[in-house]
């Protein structure tokens, strides 16, 4: 009897399960929609039928902080034969995930295993970020899931922006922000140009606030490309600027003006003890034998670069508060804020006027006219000396005193100045500042090319080479130089390498060596075919099917001149044609000429603003294709 009851129960359970599974299989309408979305977004395997952000605000009376509830609900559909993805959301010490649900299209719980792990990254050492996530599978085209995630922010200052684009293309994106009357907030609309974003403003249900609703249809996912501009440059988004709140007839500023942002940053700095006792002896050691102020400053600055290991540190308030100088000095590691604070305190101990300085790198589109925690992501030190303002970034290994990495050039900085602040700009350098000058003096020796090479590196081309060279173990440095100079090509033998001081970041790098190249010359009858270029810079650098500007790490300026001695009794019967292109972002040229019995082969590649814009791609690609064809040509010499 019991066995029969169990059998009946099992059959009923399996039937219900089969019925439930049948109910969640794709409908004809879902499959049709999936096919339509696949045609629209052929490179994606999952799309969002709809994505809704709902944002509301509250007030924590105990902590006297404005809180945020951000609810994201999405209707996901598989537009490929099958797909496996992760649904995830980050949180940290200033926020919590209050709901993380995944349902079938019939509103039944999908019961995927939701994990909650600490977020780890090679770039971060201490980090309080966590991630909730689940791996979900779409077994069929048109299969759908409904997700609902609610995130609570304990303090509104950490809730800074909302993007319309996400990981996946979206048929309809809605952002709904309900702002109560007691909260003074600006919703700054950025990069809206070119998008048909519908905006409405209406009173809320209780009549004590306004609801801002933004709707955008048929929007692509964020681009999966390398070397892109920061997302704040290219995607439409809403910057959340919480200015002040009113409670019990008292108005309290949050970040109404830049002064408010500075006041909060300065309150974190003022809480530091900065006991300089541990650093006194080292400062004395670095400065007592220096013959000038500049030498003292360099000794301190370079010591921080060389001896303090940079490790990003994001752990609650430590994501914004500098570490004590003594801690960084003792541990020999720190993030940008800790390294800036150590640099400042060591310079003050040496008698100089040094200040902490906040800055947003070129990844960020904003400046300090926008009072928000999203305006900066970096900290450096500013030195005021003899009427000059000099910026010092200890995280930039082998940057010379008075030189600045491209990632901060031209960016606005916020410099501490007691209860006030100073706004300045980091100077920008021309591409020529990073010049690479290569000179080859070559001749033919039977089937080889032999000769001498001289290479000079300036600016960031110098500092990057010094960084890589000095990061190697001593027994690997000779191997690195040889590999660097022959590009890992076994046909190129380098010897008699002589260099300038590869520890001195104040002087340009000079490298001279002999070269012997095999398999670059071939002879047939009375003709000699010569492949003269064995560096072939920018080869195959075609930017096709790309949606965003290409961003280089720094401005580039290469001038390469090769002189090939024509063997006695031979004349030139073929040289490749000269090519060139120029526009606002780059000047490129390759030229061949003859002077007496020497072929002169000259390349000039200048990337003037460290970027190639999408509007440049056609012209850029046209040149690169010509360059690749030129690289595949040979010089032909014919015997008299």
């Amino acid at each position: 009897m019991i066995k029969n009851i169990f059998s009946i129960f099992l059959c009923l359970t399996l039937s219900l399960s089969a019925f439930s599974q049948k109910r969640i299989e794709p409908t004809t309408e879902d499959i049709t929609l999936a096919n339509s979305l696949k045609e629209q977004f052929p490179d994606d395997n999952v799309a969002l039928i709809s994505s809704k952000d709902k944002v509301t605000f509250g007030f924590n009376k105990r902590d006297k902080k404005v809180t945020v509830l951000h609810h994201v609900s999405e209707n996901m559909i598989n537009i490929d034969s099958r797909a496996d993805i992760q649904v995830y959301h980050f949180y940290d010490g200033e926020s919590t995930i209050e709901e993380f649900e995944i349902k079938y299209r019939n509103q039944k719980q999908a019961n995927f295993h939701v994990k909650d792990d600490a977020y780890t990254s090679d770039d971060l050492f201490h980090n309080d970020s966590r991630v909730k996530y689940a791996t979900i599978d779409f077994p069929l085209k048109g299969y759908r899931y409904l997700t609902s995630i609610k995130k609570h922010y304990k303090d509104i200052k950490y809730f800074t922006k909302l993007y319309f684009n996400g990981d996946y293309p979206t048929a309809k994106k809605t952002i709904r922000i309900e702002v109560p009357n007691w909260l003074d907030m600006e919703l700054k609309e950025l990069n809206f140009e070119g998008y048909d974003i519908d905006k409405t403003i209406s009173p809320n249900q209780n009549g004590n606030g306004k609801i801002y609703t933004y709707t955008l249809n048929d929007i692509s996912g964020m681009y999966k490309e390398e070397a892109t501009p920061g997302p704040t440059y290219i995607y439409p988004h809403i910057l959340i600027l919480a200015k002040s709140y009113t409670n019990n007839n008292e108005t309290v500023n949050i970040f109404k003006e830049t002064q408010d942002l500075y006041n909060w940053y300065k309150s974190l700095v003022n809480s530091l003890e900065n006991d300089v006792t541990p650093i006194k002896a080292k400062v004395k050691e670095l400065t007592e034998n220096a013959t000038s102020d500049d030498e003292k400053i360099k000794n301190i600055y370079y010591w921080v670069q060389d001896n303090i290991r940079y490790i990003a540190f994001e752990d609650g308030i430590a994501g914004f508060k500098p570490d004590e100088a003594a801690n960084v000095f003792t541990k020999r590691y720190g993030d940008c804020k800790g390294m800036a604070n150590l640099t400042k305190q060591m310079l003050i101990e040496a008698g100089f006027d040094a200040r902490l300085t906040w800055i947003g790198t070129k990844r960020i589109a904003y400046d300090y006219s926008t009072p928000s925690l999203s305006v900066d992501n970096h900290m450096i030190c500013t030195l005021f000396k003899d009427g000059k303002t000099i910026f010092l970034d200890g995280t930039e290994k082998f940057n010379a005193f008075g030189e600045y990495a491209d990632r901060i050039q031209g960016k606005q900085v916020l410099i501490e100045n007691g209860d006030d602040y100073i706004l300045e700009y980091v100077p920008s350098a021309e591409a020529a500042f990073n010049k690479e000058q290569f000179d080859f003096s070559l001749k033919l020796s039977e089937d080889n090319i032999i000769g001498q090479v001289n290479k000079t590196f300036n600016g960031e081309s110098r500092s990057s080479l010094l960084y890589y060279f000095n990061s190697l173990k001593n027994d690997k440095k000779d191997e690195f130089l040889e590999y660097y100079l022959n590009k890992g090509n076994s046909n190129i033998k380098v010897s008699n390498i002589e260099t300038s001081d590869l520890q001195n970041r104040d002087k340009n790098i000079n490298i001279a060596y002999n070269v012997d190249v095999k398999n670059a010359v071939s002879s047939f009858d009375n003709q000699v075919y010569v492949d003269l270029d064995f560096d072939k810079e920018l080869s195959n650098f075609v930017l096709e099917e790309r949606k965003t500007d290409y961003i280089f790490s720094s401005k580039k300026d290469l001038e390469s001149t090769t002189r090939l001695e024509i063997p006695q009794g031979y004349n030139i019967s073929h040289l490749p044609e000269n090519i060139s292109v120029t526009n606002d972002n780059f000047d490129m040229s390759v030229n061949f000429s003859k002077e007496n019995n020497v072929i002169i082969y000259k390349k000039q590649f200048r990337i003037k603003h460290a970027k190639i814009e999408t509007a440049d791609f056609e012209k850029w690609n046209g040149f690169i294709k010509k360059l690749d064809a030129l690289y595949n040509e040979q010089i032909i010499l014919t015997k008299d």
Side-chain angles (χ1 to χ4, degrees), residues 61-78:
K61 293 182 179 179
R62 184 187 64 183
D63 296 334
K64 294 186 177 180
K65 291 180 179 178
V66 178
T67 60
V68 184
L69 182 62
H70 181 199
H71 182 199
V72 181
S73 55
E74 296 179 335
N75 186 347
M76 314 181 79
I77 187 170
N78 179 30

Side-chain angles (χ1 to χ4, degrees), residues 592-606:
F592 291 85
S593 61
K594 178 178 178 292
E595 187 176 294
N596 298 324
N597 70 327
V598 174
I599 295 172
I600 301 174
Y601 169 45
K602 191 166 187 176
K603 294 180 291 186
Q604 291 184 302
F605 300 150
R606 179 175 294 158

Side-chain angles (χ1 to χ4, degrees), residues 44-48 74 76-78 82-88 102 112 133-138 145 147 167-168:
D44 293 278
N45 55 9
V46 171
L48 306 182
E74 296 179 335
M76 314 181 79
I77 187 170
N78 179 30
R82 66 165 291 116
D84 297 287
I85 67 168
Q86 282 190 340
V87 176
Y88 61 92
I102 304 171
F112 288 107
Y133 65 99
T135 302
I136 65 176
D137 64 298
F138 294 84
Y145 290 108
T147 66
D167 288 340
Y168 306 103

Side-chain angles (χ1 to χ4, degrees), residues 599-617:
I599 295 172
I600 301 174
Y601 169 45
K602 191 166 187 176
K603 294 180 291 186
Q604 291 184 302
F605 300 150
R606 179 175 294 158
I607 313 296
K608 293 182 278 190
H609 305 296
K611 65 180 178 180
I612 306 168
E613 296 177 337
T614 53
D616 302 327
F617 284 179

Side-chain angles (χ1 to χ4, degrees), residues 122 160 328 404 411 413 436 467 480 570:
D122 293 338
T160 59
V328 177
Y404 311 117
K411 293 293 292 184
V413 294
E436 298 174 68
Y467 174 74
F480 167 77
Y570 282 83

Side-chain angles (χ1 to χ4, degrees), residues 497-539:
I497 302 173
E498 296 181 1
T499 71
S500 57
D501 183 359
L502 295 181
Q503 302 293 327
N504 189 342
R505 71 207 78 194
D506 288 320
K507 293 185 178 180
N508 297 331
I509 295 176
N510 294 294
I511 303 176
Y513 58 96
N514 293 339
V515 66
D516 188 334
V517 186
K518 296 187 296 183
N519 298 323
V521 181
S522 54
S523 302
F524 298 96
D525 297 328
N526 292 323
Q527 291 186 320
V528 176
Y529 298 82
V530 181
D531 183 358
L532 191 56
D533 195 316
F534 32 87
D535 280 345
K536 294 181 170 58
E537 297 91 353
L538 299 177
S539 176

